[in-house]
Amino acid sequence: MTGEELILGIDFGGTKVAIGLADRAGSLLVTRRLDTDAQAGAEQVVSRALAAARKLLADEGAADRLAAIGVVSPGIVLEDRILLAPNVPGWEELRLRELVAAEFEGVPIEVGTDAKAAALAEWRWGALADTDPAVFLSLGTGIAAAVLVGGRLLAGANGAAGEIGYNLLSPQDTDGFASGAAPLEEAVGGRGLGGRASVLLGRPVTAGELFGLARENAQAKELVGAALDELSMHVANLAIALDPQRIAVGGGLVRSADILLPALRERLARAVPFPPELVSAKFDQDASLLGAIAIALDA
């Protein structure tokens, strides 16, 4: 690497942590990944990630050129806790900015929600460029959407705009969040799909494997079909409410875009008065990491 200033991005996810160094143009120069190991708790995830970030800087001889750090996570990241992030035990009790600041004293740090940051990266450098309004749909371990109007993220009164994982599935879902449920995320998110597939097929199956099996296994195909019917209804309702110009789909499940996107396009075409363009996110698995870079640059 040359002597330019560098930006460090850290993307905490439900199953993996991505760490990267980028230049001020937003180009990722080097990345590292490690498993979240969610069941071992929140503190070990952060400790291992910060140690890996330190090692990355040392390996690249970049510690003295670090200009800013962006950190993204599921949920709403506040100064003293994280809201709406139940997938990793203890995550909601973290003071994420404090923990990072203690490791990188004196370096400017910006924290934010992963899906919203990913939307910003896609608008600035990727599949949502030059579109207004624009929606980023994150389909992975969890389910979330992020909305950009005039290139500005719609945060909502509590930072929770786009948390569609909490959408109700029927009139009988009277409690939803109050009962500790995230109905749509449990129905079509990667964790929920993998769990139901494992019970159905009698062995451990991830959501990604499920989509592959759906090409030849009747039970898997039926499960995927029901999930896509549910998801596409919610995406269509989102498009009706917001009238976006384009929706970009990212997250782990987009690896099965050949099954996922046609189902969403068909529902949009039939149900939405003015169907938006539906595309895969440009950055695929790196959107949230680049989002961390983007919020650091903005700060």
Side-chain angles (χ1 to χ4, degrees):
M1 290 184 186
T2 59
E4 78 271 22
E5 288 186 329
L6 299 173
I7 309 298
L8 175 67
I10 305 176
D11 166 27
F12 288 99
T15 58
K16 56 85 182 168
V17 180
I19 302 165
L21 279 176
D23 60 23
R24 284 192 169 273
S27 297
L28 281 172
L29 306 173
V30 59
T31 62
R32 298 284 188 274
R33 281 176 169 75
L34 56 148
D35 291 336
T36 300
D37 193 12
Q39 296 311 308
E43 291 187 5
Q44 59 84 27
V45 183
V46 178
S47 296
R48 289 190 294 112
L50 294 179
R54 272 290 183 200
K55 187 176 186 303
L56 175 60
L57 289 165
D59 289 347
E60 300 299 325
D64 60 344
R65 291 183 280 129
L66 184 59
I69 302 172
V71 183
V72 298
S73 156
I76 303 168
V77 185
L78 305 178
E79 290 298 322
D80 58 344
R81 63 195 186 282
I82 301 174
L83 305 179
L84 305 184
N87 285 324
V88 179
W91 201 255
E92 294 183 325
E93 283 74 52
L94 287 179
R95 295 173 177 259
L96 192 55
R97 188 196 295 271
E98 278 187 20
L99 292 171
V100 179
E103 184 70 25
F104 295 96
E105 187 174 352
V107 180
I109 297 166
E110 187 68 18
V111 296
T113 301
D114 51 4
K116 289 183 174 63
L120 188 62
E122 289 289 343
W123 184 81
R124 178 172 290 175
W125 302 304
L128 295 176
D130 302 318
T131 58
D132 185 28
V135 171
F136 177 77
L137 182 64
S138 179
L139 304 178
T141 304
I143 301 292
V147 182
L148 291 130
V149 180
R152 296 176 62 87
L153 282 165
L154 178 64
N158 301 286
E163 292 290 341
I164 63 171
Y166 293 93
N167 280 13
L168 303 179
L169 305 185
S170 74
Q172 286 68 46
D173 282 340
T174 55
D175 293 333
F177 174 74
S179 64
L184 181 60
E185 184 169 299
E186 292 165 14
V188 304
R191 190 182 301 276
L193 278 178
R196 290 201 302 284
S198 298
V199 171
L200 181 68
L201 301 175
R203 62 180 178 84
V205 178
T206 67
E209 291 169 338
L210 173 65
F211 275 85
L213 289 169
R215 295 178 174 87
E216 55 189 35
N217 181 289
Q219 290 178 301
K221 183 176 182 179
E222 183 177 356
L223 180 55
V224 167
L228 291 180
D229 284 345
E230 184 70 50
L231 175 64
S232 65
M233 178 182 69
H234 291 268
V235 175
N237 285 340
L238 185 68
I240 292 168
L242 297 174
D243 190 22
Q245 182 179 351
R246 185 179 298 159
I247 299 175
V249 184
L253 295 184
V254 84
R255 293 189 182 104
S256 302
D258 61 319
I259 297 175
L260 179 65
L261 295 190
L264 297 181
R265 286 195 184 104
E266 181 179 0
R267 182 65 70 100
L268 289 172
R270 294 169 63 89
V272 181
F274 302 97
E277 183 182 7
L278 184 80
V279 300
S280 292
K282 177 178 178 180
F283 301 118
D284 190 13
Q285 308 310 308
D286 283 332
S288 293
L289 180 57
L290 280 165
I293 302 296
I295 64 172
L297 286 169
D298 279 355

PDB file of all heavy atoms in Angstrom, residues 93-109:
ATOM      1  N   GLU A  93     -26.821  -5.363  24.933  1.00  0.00           N
ATOM      2  CA  GLU A  93     -26.217  -4.679  26.080  1.00  0.00           C
ATOM      3  C   GLU A  93     -24.883  -4.022  25.735  1.00  0.00           C
ATOM      4  O   GLU A  93     -24.265  -3.381  26.593  1.00  0.00           O
ATOM      5  CB  GLU A  93     -25.984  -5.673  27.232  1.00  0.00           C
ATOM      6  CG  GLU A  93     -27.238  -6.036  28.008  1.00  0.00           C
ATOM      7  CD  GLU A  93     -28.138  -6.972  27.237  1.00  0.00           C
ATOM      8  OE1 GLU A  93     -27.639  -8.010  26.766  1.00  0.00           O
ATOM      9  OE2 GLU A  93     -29.333  -6.657  27.099  1.00  0.00           O
ATOM     10  N   LEU A  94     -24.423  -4.162  24.509  1.00  0.00           N
ATOM     11  CA  LEU A  94     -23.106  -3.644  24.136  1.00  0.00           C
ATOM     12  C   LEU A  94     -23.092  -2.121  24.019  1.00  0.00           C
ATOM     13  O   LEU A  94     -24.057  -1.513  23.549  1.00  0.00           O
ATOM     14  CB  LEU A  94     -22.666  -4.221  22.788  1.00  0.00           C
ATOM     15  CG  LEU A  94     -22.240  -5.687  22.731  1.00  0.00           C
ATOM     16  CD1 LEU A  94     -21.875  -6.054  21.305  1.00  0.00           C
ATOM     17  CD2 LEU A  94     -21.064  -5.961  23.662  1.00  0.00           C
ATOM     18  N   ARG A  95     -21.978  -1.543  24.447  1.00  0.00           N
ATOM     19  CA  ARG A  95     -21.680  -0.140  24.133  1.00  0.00           C
ATOM     20  C   ARG A  95     -20.629  -0.184  23.015  1.00  0.00           C
ATOM     21  O   ARG A  95     -19.426  -0.080  23.264  1.00  0.00           O
ATOM     22  CB  ARG A  95     -21.141   0.579  25.362  1.00  0.00           C
ATOM     23  CG  ARG A  95     -22.147   0.704  26.502  1.00  0.00           C
ATOM     24  CD  ARG A  95     -21.494   1.269  27.756  1.00  0.00           C
ATOM     25  NE  ARG A  95     -22.454   1.453  28.831  1.00  0.00           N
ATOM     26  CZ  ARG A  95     -23.001   2.619  29.173  1.00  0.00           C
ATOM     27  NH1 ARG A  95     -22.648   3.717  28.510  1.00  0.00           N
ATOM     28  NH2 ARG A  95     -23.862   2.703  30.147  1.00  0.00           N
ATOM     29  N   LEU A  96     -21.092  -0.355  21.793  1.00  0.00           N
ATOM     30  CA  LEU A  96     -20.203  -0.708  20.697  1.00  0.00           C
ATOM     31  C   LEU A  96     -19.176   0.381  20.405  1.00  0.00           C
ATOM     32  O   LEU A  96     -17.987   0.101  20.232  1.00  0.00           O
ATOM     33  CB  LEU A  96     -21.033  -1.020  19.446  1.00  0.00           C
ATOM     34  CG  LEU A  96     -20.304  -1.688  18.280  1.00  0.00           C
ATOM     35  CD1 LEU A  96     -19.603  -2.963  18.725  1.00  0.00           C
ATOM     36  CD2 LEU A  96     -21.283  -1.992  17.155  1.00  0.00           C
ATOM     37  N   ARG A  97     -19.628   1.639  20.362  1.00  0.00           N
ATOM     38  CA  ARG A  97     -18.677   2.717  20.079  1.00  0.00           C
ATOM     39  C   ARG A  97     -17.589   2.790  21.155  1.00  0.00           C
ATOM     40  O   ARG A  97     -16.411   2.976  20.846  1.00  0.00           O
ATOM     41  CB  ARG A  97     -19.398   4.056  19.975  1.00  0.00           C
ATOM     42  CG  ARG A  97     -18.483   5.197  19.498  1.00  0.00           C
ATOM     43  CD  ARG A  97     -19.107   6.554  19.776  1.00  0.00           C
ATOM     44  NE  ARG A  97     -20.319   6.744  19.011  1.00  0.00           N
ATOM     45  CZ  ARG A  97     -20.356   7.267  17.789  1.00  0.00           C
ATOM     46  NH1 ARG A  97     -19.227   7.615  17.185  1.00  0.00           N
ATOM     47  NH2 ARG A  97     -21.504   7.436  17.167  1.00  0.00           N
ATOM     48  N   GLU A  98     -17.982   2.634  22.417  1.00  0.00           N
ATOM     49  CA  GLU A  98     -17.006   2.686  23.507  1.00  0.00           C
ATOM     50  C   GLU A  98     -15.954   1.591  23.368  1.00  0.00           C
ATOM     51  O   GLU A  98     -14.757   1.826  23.587  1.00  0.00           O
ATOM     52  CB  GLU A  98     -17.713   2.529  24.857  1.00  0.00           C
ATOM     53  CG  GLU A  98     -18.335   3.795  25.395  1.00  0.00           C
ATOM     54  CD  GLU A  98     -18.863   3.591  26.806  1.00  0.00           C
ATOM     55  OE1 GLU A  98     -18.409   2.631  27.476  1.00  0.00           O
ATOM     56  OE2 GLU A  98     -19.724   4.378  27.223  1.00  0.00           O
ATOM     57  N   LEU A  99     -16.385   0.393  23.034  1.00  0.00           N
ATOM     58  CA  LEU A  99     -15.459  -0.726  22.912  1.00  0.00           C
ATOM     59  C   LEU A  99     -14.450  -0.499  21.788  1.00  0.00           C
ATOM     60  O   LEU A  99     -13.256  -0.782  21.932  1.00  0.00           O
ATOM     61  CB  LEU A  99     -16.243  -2.019  22.665  1.00  0.00           C
ATOM     62  CG  LEU A  99     -17.098  -2.510  23.834  1.00  0.00           C
ATOM     63  CD1 LEU A  99     -17.993  -3.668  23.393  1.00  0.00           C
ATOM     64  CD2 LEU A  99     -16.215  -2.939  24.996  1.00  0.00           C
ATOM     65  N   VAL A 100     -14.937   0.022  20.670  1.00  0.00           N
ATOM     66  CA  VAL A 100     -14.029   0.294  19.548  1.00  0.00           C
ATOM     67  C   VAL A 100     -13.102   1.454  19.890  1.00  0.00           C
ATOM     68  O   VAL A 100     -11.900   1.418  19.601  1.00  0.00           O
ATOM     69  CB  VAL A 100     -14.836   0.584  18.266  1.00  0.00           C
ATOM     70  CG1 VAL A 100     -13.893   0.890  17.100  1.00  0.00           C
ATOM     71  CG2 VAL A 100     -15.729  -0.607  17.914  1.00  0.00           C
ATOM     72  N   ALA A 101     -13.644   2.494  20.521  1.00  0.00           N
ATOM     73  CA  ALA A 101     -12.829   3.655  20.874  1.00  0.00           C
ATOM     74  C   ALA A 101     -11.721   3.289  21.856  1.00  0.00           C
ATOM     75  O   ALA A 101     -10.613   3.849  21.798  1.00  0.00           O
ATOM     76  CB  ALA A 101     -13.718   4.746  21.459  1.00  0.00           C
ATOM     77  N   ALA A 102     -11.996   2.344  22.752  1.00  0.00           N
ATOM     78  CA  ALA A 102     -10.967   1.930  23.714  1.00  0.00           C
ATOM     79  C   ALA A 102      -9.803   1.237  23.015  1.00  0.00           C
ATOM     80  O   ALA A 102      -8.656   1.315  23.479  1.00  0.00           O
ATOM     81  CB  ALA A 102     -11.584   1.004  24.757  1.00  0.00           C
ATOM     82  N   GLU A 103     -10.086   0.578  21.914  1.00  0.00           N
ATOM     83  CA  GLU A 103      -9.039  -0.124  21.163  1.00  0.00           C
ATOM     84  C   GLU A 103      -8.288   0.816  20.230  1.00  0.00           C
ATOM     85  O   GLU A 103      -7.102   0.639  19.974  1.00  0.00           O
ATOM     86  CB  GLU A 103      -9.671  -1.262  20.355  1.00  0.00           C
ATOM     87  CG  GLU A 103      -8.676  -2.138  19.605  1.00  0.00           C
ATOM     88  CD  GLU A 103      -7.848  -3.011  20.533  1.00  0.00           C
ATOM     89  OE1 GLU A 103      -8.308  -3.315  21.647  1.00  0.00           O
ATOM     90  OE2 GLU A 103      -6.719  -3.382  20.129  1.00  0.00           O
ATOM     91  N   PHE A 104      -8.988   1.846  19.718  1.00  0.00           N
ATOM     92  CA  PHE A 104      -8.390   2.770  18.735  1.00  0.00           C
ATOM     93  C   PHE A 104      -8.538   4.203  19.253  1.00  0.00           C
ATOM     94  O   PHE A 104      -9.282   5.014  18.701  1.00  0.00           O
ATOM     95  CB  PHE A 104      -9.069   2.616  17.373  1.00  0.00           C
ATOM     96  CG  PHE A 104      -8.863   1.267  16.744  1.00  0.00           C
ATOM     97  CD1 PHE A 104      -9.807   0.262  16.883  1.00  0.00           C
ATOM     98  CD2 PHE A 104      -7.710   0.993  16.017  1.00  0.00           C
ATOM     99  CE1 PHE A 104      -9.615  -0.982  16.312  1.00  0.00           C
ATOM    100  CE2 PHE A 104      -7.514  -0.251  15.435  1.00  0.00           C
ATOM    101  CZ  PHE A 104      -8.465  -1.241  15.580  1.00  0.00           C
ATOM    102  N   GLU A 105      -7.836   4.508  20.308  1.00  0.00           N
ATOM    103  CA  GLU A 105      -7.952   5.804  20.971  1.00  0.00           C
ATOM    104  C   GLU A 105      -7.552   6.930  20.029  1.00  0.00           C
ATOM    105  O   GLU A 105      -6.513   6.869  19.345  1.00  0.00           O
ATOM    106  CB  GLU A 105      -7.062   5.834  22.215  1.00  0.00           C
ATOM    107  CG  GLU A 105      -7.246   7.072  23.072  1.00  0.00           C
ATOM    108  CD  GLU A 105      -6.456   6.993  24.367  1.00  0.00           C
ATOM    109  OE1 GLU A 105      -5.893   5.922  24.649  1.00  0.00           O
ATOM    110  OE2 GLU A 105      -6.410   8.014  25.072  1.00  0.00           O
ATOM    111  N   GLY A 106      -8.389   7.953  19.976  1.00  0.00           N
ATOM    112  CA  GLY A 106      -8.086   9.133  19.181  1.00  0.00           C
ATOM    113  C   GLY A 106      -8.508   9.064  17.728  1.00  0.00           C
ATOM    114  O   GLY A 106      -8.393  10.061  17.004  1.00  0.00           O
ATOM    115  N   VAL A 107      -9.008   7.912  17.258  1.00  0.00           N
ATOM    116  CA  VAL A 107      -9.434   7.774  15.866  1.00  0.00           C
ATOM    117  C   VAL A 107     -10.934   8.062  15.774  1.00  0.00           C
ATOM    118  O   VAL A 107     -11.711   7.506  16.552  1.00  0.00           O
ATOM    119  CB  VAL A 107      -9.144   6.356  15.336  1.00  0.00           C
ATOM    120  CG1 VAL A 107      -9.589   6.227  13.880  1.00  0.00           C
ATOM    121  CG2 VAL A 107      -7.666   6.025  15.469  1.00  0.00           C
ATOM    122  N   PRO A 108     -11.390   8.913  14.844  1.00  0.00           N
ATOM    123  CA  PRO A 108     -12.826   9.161  14.688  1.00  0.00           C
ATOM    124  C   PRO A 108     -13.570   7.867  14.364  1.00  0.00           C
ATOM    125  O   PRO A 108     -13.131   7.080  13.513  1.00  0.00           O
ATOM    126  CB  PRO A 108     -12.896  10.146  13.514  1.00  0.00           C
ATOM    127  CG  PRO A 108     -11.555  10.793  13.478  1.00  0.00           C
ATOM    128  CD  PRO A 108     -10.579   9.743  13.929  1.00  0.00           C
ATOM    129  N   ILE A 109     -14.694   7.650  15.034  1.00  0.00           N
ATOM    130  CA  ILE A 109     -15.463   6.417  14.877  1.00  0.00           C
ATOM    131  C   ILE A 109     -16.915   6.769  14.611  1.00  0.00           C
ATOM    132  O   ILE A 109     -17.498   7.610  15.299  1.00  0.00           O
ATOM    133  CB  ILE A 109     -15.366   5.540  16.142  1.00  0.00           C
ATOM    134  CG1 ILE A 109     -13.925   5.107  16.386  1.00  0.00           C
ATOM    135  CG2 ILE A 109     -16.278   4.311  16.033  1.00  0.00           C
ATOM    136  CD1 ILE A 109     -13.690   4.542  17.772  1.00  0.00           C
TER     137      ILE A 109
END
